[in-house]
Amino acid sequence: MKPLFLAGQWRQGRGAVARSVFPADGSLNAEFSTASIDDVEEAIQAAHQAWQEPSWRNSLPVERARVLYKVADLIEQNVTQLAALQTRDNGKPLAETRGLVMSAAATARYTAACLETLDTELTNARSKDWLTMSVHEPLGVVAAITPWNSPIASEVQKLAPALAAGNAVILKPAEATSLIALELARLFEEAGLPCGLLSVLPGKGSVVGNAIVQHPLVKKISFTGGTSTGRQLAHIAAERLISTSLELGGKSPTVVLADADLDLAVNGVIYGIFSSSGQACIAGARLFVHTQVYDAFLQRLVAKTQALRVGHPEHVETQVGPLIDEKHLSSVDAYVRQAEHDGGQILVGGHRLSEGELAKGSYYAPTIIAGLSNQATVCQEEIFGPVLVVLPFEDEQDLVQQANDSVYGLAAGIWTENYRKAWQLARALDVGTVWINTYKKFSISTPFGGFKESGVGREKGRLSIVSYMQQKSIYMGLNTQPDPWCEG
Ligand code: ADP
């Protein structure tokens, strides 16, 4: 049975035994041990102690950066094995998991470079008698809680800046993707991260995750996952007066204007919703198409969707893999049945796939639904599956109103050859990321996060390290004479 990683030790957790299962055929990848409440206590105490060690607290940025550069190299050197492991854990096609692993390496390297160039700021003193400055201090022990859909990328996105800032981290990965998180711990260990600064504690969110975020020594919750869990964690953080970073759900609109390059747009829309089988917070799940091109666009969209290669995630030609598990497949299917009940017309898909080798896994056909309004349940709730709802529009003001009529505000896509219009629309949409004539592309230097119920705070970008720090202002007196107030 796979051990967990607790304060530099590989050992059996005292919680229940858990299983990682390959979504493509239900076969067992491995059994692993989960943490008990006592393990959580031990890991957090060790993290607190390790964080306070002068050798870490007072380490130079260049020394912490060295660990991250090494982590980046090790991730890259192990890309094939890590991608394969993630595919076994969550069923994403290999081409996608390879991309996520490389993105994790890039994040570690970029964060190291940012750390080396992070400055202390001399502030305007308002008196020649002092020198004033603002420095950044680490927070202490940080809880990183991650989902199963893009594990290594979202984990390094938290671990790299939190550790660069000089904190210790307790990582609670999603139950389904604990194996890849443990492998990541091995690479941090090999890169020379001092003992205790990182523990990876698999287990149930409601038990292990909850014990971590409730612990008085935890000073920040960095969470990626569903909006309802995020809201619960925000309540806990508010009660404890600690900060959060919350990357939550989405129901992102994609817009095809009448002058769009339809071939480009159709490819982008399909990639935006059906890659990762739609199991992405940024999936472009609501498609608004101008009535002038609605029929022509839908014809191409349906034909291309029917031609998608759904299959085993380890086959190179596969574009769409299985869903994470049967429970999730039932939830996706229930949304599609609800759409039908609400009067929606299924243009393609709308059912599970079980021919040949697909019978062994949780495969769902890429699905397109028309004939509903933006008020329909499938337009308002996050499905997290390969389900696209198409809505015609005529007037651009009405389009903006409908696109923004959502509790979510994570991302949006715009397809048009008119960049003036694209700019205006991009500014009008209440979302954290807008893609124009492209979709689901990421750069580590560009901040990412949501408006509205899609999240609080931003990850990535130059300032990600600072989000794991607190500012301290220091005044240095330069005057050799006593303060006049004290005189006499
Ligand atoms: P998803 O729907 O993507 O699985 P969740 O929000 O349920 O999203 O889970 C994301 C992460 O949050 C997982 O690691 C999960 O175990 C963890 N989690 C779930 N509930 C809690 C909780 N009450 N406290 C802390 N962590 C939790």
Side-chain angles (χ1 to χ4, degrees), residues 145-148 172-175 205-206 209-210 223-226 229 232-233:
I145 301 196
T146 50
W148 47 260
K172 210 300 283 173
E175 291 87 325
S206 54
N210 182 57
F223 170 79
T224 301
T229 310
Q232 277 182 49
L233 299 187

Side-chain angles (χ1 to χ4, degrees), residues 255 257 288-292 392-403 421 425:
V255 180
L257 296 184
F288 294 92
V289 184
H290 196 280
T291 44
Q292 261 177 41
F393 77 92
E394 226 172 318
D395 172 73
E396 276 161 34
Q397 267 186 349
D398 172 53
L399 160 74
V400 169
Q401 191 273 326
Q402 287 197 66
K421 254 190 196 170
L425 261 179

Side-chain angles (χ1 to χ4, degrees), residues 31-216:
E31 289 194 327
F32 57 94
S33 67
T34 65
S36 67
I37 302 300
D38 287 344
D39 291 332
V40 170
E41 180 64 31
E42 204 179 317
I44 293 177
Q45 292 294 348
H48 184 66
Q49 212 176 339
W51 165 67
Q52 288 186 312
E53 277 294 317
S55 60
W56 183 247
R57 262 197 105 147
N58 303 335
S59 60
L60 293 172
V62 66
E63 291 165 337
R64 297 198 297 282
R66 199 172 292 136
V67 174
L68 292 178
Y69 283 126
K70 187 85 206 288
V71 166
D73 291 345
L74 288 170
I75 291 175
E76 269 174 3
Q77 284 159 22
N78 289 280
V79 58
T80 305
Q81 176 222 340
L82 291 168
L85 185 57
Q86 188 181 145
T87 292
R88 298 286 310 184
D89 255 356
N90 71 4
K92 275 194 170 187
L94 276 176
E96 279 184 44
T97 52
R98 204 180 164 85
L100 289 166
V101 174
M102 293 309 282
S103 138
T107 301
R109 193 166 287 125
Y110 173 84
T111 310
C114 288
L115 172 60
E116 287 193 280
T117 53
L118 194 67
D119 284 330
T120 291
E121 191 188 349
L122 276 185
T123 48
N124 191 341
R126 303 190 75 116
S127 163
K128 62 183 170 23
D129 294 343
W130 338 306
L131 179 68
T132 57
M133 65 183 83
S134 167
V135 299
H136 289 94
E137 303 282 10
L139 298 165
V141 182
V142 170
I145 301 196
T146 50
W148 47 260
N149 60 328
S150 307
I152 194 167
S154 46
E155 276 143 21
V156 175
Q157 215 162 287
K158 299 181 188 311
L159 265 53
L163 292 167
N167 301 290
V169 181
I170 307 291
L171 169 63
K172 210 300 283 173
E175 291 87 325
T177 48
S178 298
L179 298 185
I180 182 117
L182 290 165
E183 212 43 45
L184 183 63
R186 205 176 286 286
L187 301 184
F188 271 94
E189 185 186 30
E190 194 179 333
L193 184 75
C195 276
L197 289 169
L198 173 64
S199 285
V200 177
L201 304 182
K204 279 198 189 313
S206 54
V207 181
V208 178
N210 182 57
I212 296 169
V213 297
Q214 298 273 9
H215 198 287

